[in-house]
Amino acid sequence: MFTRPRFLATAAATLVAATALAGCASDDAPAAGTLEVTDPWVKTATPEDMMSAAFGTLTNTSDEDVTVVAATSDASPEIQLHEVVGGEMQEKDGGFTIAAGESLTLEPGGYHLMLMGLPEAIEAGDEVDFTLELSDGGAVTFTATAKDFDGANEDYDHEDSMDMGSSEEPAEG
Ligand SMILES: [Cu+2]
């Protein structure tokens, strides 16, 4: 009978092909995490503040657009991607997109990572780990150092103290 040996030969050939394919795939694995994060920092906060924000420069070192769709950190149960429009912050629709080779700076008064519902204080010098989730399934991690920052408070609590055009009568004096 020749049936059985022939079957074995076919199976062996298939196995070799599968092994070759796997080796090839691992060599060509796509490089996830194509953003470089420079000068990251996070604003100090007390538990009463409940909120903080993280900043830094995101540089896309790849030749394709990269979109940050979410962010996480052990320091905060919820992080939103915010932009500031007309002096008020809001969630950035669609996340932060950085074109190939370009940079996006997160800074007070502009784009930022908003930390919501802080369970404990962030003190000057603290190192806070963050993970940025990308639309392609990749992730980028970075560590931000906490520092005191007094500006941009109006962006966080919607107070009108900085708004000279407000028709509301100031209560002070
Ligand atoms: Cu915000």
Side-chain angles (χ1 to χ4, degrees):
M1 303 292 272
F2 292 95
T3 310
R4 194 172 180 85
R6 189 174 171 191
F7 168 77
L8 284 173
T10 304
T14 303
L15 189 65
V16 168
T19 304
L21 203 65
C24 185
S26 75
D27 284 344
D28 290 341
T34 45
L35 286 180
E36 280 185 12
V37 181
T38 48
D39 302 326
W41 63 282
V42 59
K43 183 178 158 170
T44 55
T46 66
E48 292 75 35
D49 291 331
M50 295 295 290
M51 293 189 283
S52 184
F55 310 97
T57 299
L58 312 180
T59 300
N60 181 353
T61 56
S62 74
D63 54 9
E64 292 181 13
D65 291 358
V66 170
T67 298
V68 177
V69 293
T72 58
S73 172
D74 287 342
S76 177
E78 181 186 3
I79 297 180
Q80 296 181 354
L81 309 180
H82 277 185
E83 63 180 344
V84 176
V85 176
E88 292 200 352
M89 61 186 182
Q90 62 189 35
E91 285 198 79
K92 179 80 173 79
D93 280 344
F96 299 148
T97 298
I98 303 104
E102 299 289 320
S103 293
L104 179 72
T105 299
L106 311 184
E107 58 191 347
Y111 299 117
H112 57 278
L113 304 178
M114 195 82 205
L115 285 65
M116 317 285 284
L118 292 177
E120 54 189 68
I122 296 176
E123 299 177 342
D126 283 358
E127 305 221 308
V128 182
D129 293 329
F130 290 88
T131 299
L132 302 177
E133 296 173 13
L134 309 181
S135 60
D136 67 0
V140 177
T141 60
F142 67 93
T143 301
T145 301
K147 65 179 183 182
D148 293 323
F149 182 76
D150 289 333
N153 288 314
E154 68 277 11
D155 293 329
Y156 302 132
D157 56 20
H158 291 258
E159 282 180 8
D160 267 345
S161 56
M162 299 290 286
D163 186 358
M164 303 303 284
S166 171
S167 58
E168 288 178 31
E169 203 66 32
E172 58 194 321

